[in-house]
């Protein structure tokens, strides 16, 4: 055996020993790693089932109850005083509609009101005139009745004279001519009595007509003043409507916010209900967080929520409160809802929007915009 062969044997033996030691170390490391994994898994399971008191989602977006600015009257747009992204305060004028037609309508309504008020005054005066007519009619009736009495006396005298001359005519004491005259006088007296009675009836008819007119006139004004009669009230309502239409030619902001989606232009003719722009109330923003249905078991109204926005990152944390749950999942309210009754159905975990109200002070310090992405974590241990 040569020297080279003698030296190679120990070298191979040392290599094998090193391999065995490396394999032993590797097995020990694998066992240690496996133990660590098992411990971590146990710790995670214990934390998840015993100590985890929150649910989170990154499927959340900022929303707001936007104000739709519409025209309440028709007309041509005279001025537009705001533009998109402009911040306005409640009561600021956003646009002006030509108010000349509204002014004319107001003048007409005011004229109708004045006319109705004068008609009430005239009706009141008519009552006094009709009362006077009734008094005059009473005098006419008494005069006619006196004439009737006078005619009756005259008739009695004519009747007596006729009877006396009739007896004399039978004995031939008077001529036929005198007898005929007495008969004519009797007929005239009877006719005068009939005329007098007709005069009484006519005077009574006039009184009844005047009384009817008075009753009708009193029915219009009885229990009412000049400002409370139906005609005046109707005319007053038209004046108020015309005044309101005139005020509505100035379209004002109903709340503080930012102008968005302005579509109205100067010179455009708008109709009542036409959408002109939107107003976003940045101080009244909320978040709709879409949680999986499996996460909602312990989520309750009133629980505290911690949120972060992609706009500011993790450094800015918002605090909110769960204020409600949507009436249905997003797919239920989709334009074309899923038809799970078909044969090729695959179960998909649904998400339910949860409404979260944000803190107004934090919104002032770090403003958000509608549609921005948020991450929300609900603390389920704060359930009420």
């Amino acid at each position: 055996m040569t020297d080279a062969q003698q030296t190679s044997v120990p070298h191979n033996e040392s290599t094998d020993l090193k391999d065995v030691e490396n394999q032993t170390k590797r097995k020990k490391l694998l066992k240690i790693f496996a133990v660590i994994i098992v411990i971590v898994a146990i710790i995670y399971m214990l934390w998840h089932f015993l100590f985890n008191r929150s649910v989170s989602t990154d499927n959340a977006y900022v929303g707001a109850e936007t104000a739709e600015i519409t025209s309440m009257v028709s007309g041509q747009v005279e001025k537009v005083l705001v533009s998109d992204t402009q911040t306005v305060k409640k009561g600021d004028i956003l646009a002006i509609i030509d108010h000349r037609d509204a002014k004319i309508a107001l003048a007409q309504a005011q004229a109708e009101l004045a006319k109705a008020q004068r008609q009430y005054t005239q009706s009141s005066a008519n009552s006094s005139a009709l009362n006077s007519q009734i008094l005059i009619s009473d005098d006419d009736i008494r005069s006619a009745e006196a004439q009737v009495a006078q005619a009756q006396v005259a008739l009695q005298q004519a009747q007596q004279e006729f009877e006396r001359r009739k007896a004399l005519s039978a004995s031939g004491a008077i001529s036929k001519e005198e007898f005929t005259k007495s008969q004519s006088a009797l007929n005239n007296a009877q006719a005068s009595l009939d005329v007098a009675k007709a005069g009484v009836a006519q005077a009574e008819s006039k009184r009844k007509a005047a009384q009817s007119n008075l009753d009708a006139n009193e029915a219009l004004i009885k229990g009412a003043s000049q400002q409370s009669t139906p005609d005046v009230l109707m005319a007053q309502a038209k004046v108020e409507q015309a005044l309101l239409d005139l005020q509505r030619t100035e379209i004002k902001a109903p709340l503080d916010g930012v102008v968005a989606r302005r579509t109205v232009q100067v010179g455009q003719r708008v109709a009542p209900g036409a959408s002109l722009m939107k107003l976003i109330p940045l101080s009244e923003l909320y978040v709709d967080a879409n949680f999986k249905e499996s996460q909602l078991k312990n989520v309750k109204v009133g629980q505290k929520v911690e949120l972060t926005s992609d706009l500011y990152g993790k450094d800015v944390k918002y605090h909110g409160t769960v204020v409600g749950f949507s009436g249905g999942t997003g797919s239920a309210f989709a334009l074309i809802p899923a038809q799970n009754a078909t044969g090729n159905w695959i179960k998909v975990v649904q998400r339910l929007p949860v409404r979260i109200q944000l803190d107004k002070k934090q919104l002032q310090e770090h403003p958000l915009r509608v549609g921005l992405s948020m991450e929300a974590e609900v603390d389920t241990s704060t359930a009420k």
Side-chain angles (χ1 to χ4, degrees), residues 26 78 81 99 104 140 146 162 194 196-197 200 246 269 341:
R26 191 179 298 109
E78 187 176 287
L81 305 178
H99 56 264
I104 293 173
D140 291 341
F162 174 75
D194 292 340
K197 289 181 178 180
V200 172
L246 178 60
R269 184 169 182 83

Side-chain angles (χ1 to χ4, degrees), residues 116-310:
Q117 291 173 340
R118 279 197 295 269
Q119 286 177 344
Y120 175 84
T121 303
Q122 183 179 358
S123 297
S124 299
N126 287 341
S127 293
S128 299
L130 291 172
N131 275 321
S132 299
Q133 288 182 8
I134 291 173
L135 295 175
I136 294 173
S137 297
D138 290 338
D139 293 337
D140 291 341
I141 290 173
R142 286 192 292 269
S143 177
E145 288 175 345
Q147 291 178 1
V148 169
Q150 184 179 0
Q152 287 176 342
V153 171
L155 177 62
Q156 290 175 357
Q157 292 177 350
Q159 183 68 36
Q160 293 173 357
E161 184 69 21
F162 174 75
E163 293 294 336
R164 186 171 63 254
R165 290 185 179 276
K166 182 178 180 182
L168 293 174
S169 176
S171 61
I174 61 172
S175 63
K176 290 183 179 180
E177 184 179 357
E178 289 181 1
F179 177 74
T180 302
K181 287 181 179 180
S182 64
Q183 189 174 13
S184 297
L186 177 61
N187 293 336
N188 290 334
Q190 183 64 51
S192 296
L193 178 60
D194 292 340
V195 170
K197 289 181 178 180
V200 172
Q202 184 178 5
E204 290 178 346
S205 297
K206 288 182 178 179
R207 188 187 187 286
K208 288 181 180 179
Q211 186 64 51
S212 298
N213 292 333
L214 177 62
D215 292 340
N217 197 73
E218 287 293 326
L220 293 175
I221 63 176
K222 185 178 180 180
S225 63
Q226 188 181 48
Q227 301 303 322
S228 62
T229 58
D231 290 341
V232 172
L233 290 176
M234 184 179 296
Q236 182 65 44
K238 290 182 179 179
V239 169
E240 293 176 357
Q241 181 64 55
L243 183 60
L244 183 60
D245 290 342
L246 178 60
Q247 293 173 349
R248 284 174 172 170
T249 57
E250 291 185 351
I251 302 173
K252 299 182 179 180
L255 44 80
D256 298 348
V258 173
V259 177
R261 296 183 63 184
R262 197 203 86 176
T263 58
V264 63
Q265 302 295 335
V266 174
Q268 177 181 348
R269 184 169 182 83
V270 296
S275 178
L276 308 181
M277 64 190 75
K278 290 183 180 293
L279 206 57
I280 312 299
L282 298 184
S283 61
E284 301 291 338
L285 298 179
Y286 58 79
V287 171
D288 279 334
N290 302 303
F291 285 96
K292 296 179 181 178
E293 53 188 321
S294 57
Q295 296 178 297
L296 296 174
K297 178 180 179 181
N298 297 320
V299 178
K300 302 290 189 297
V301 173
Q303 291 176 342
K304 301 301 180 183
V305 187
E306 188 175 271
L307 306 101
T308 57
S309 169
D310 292 351

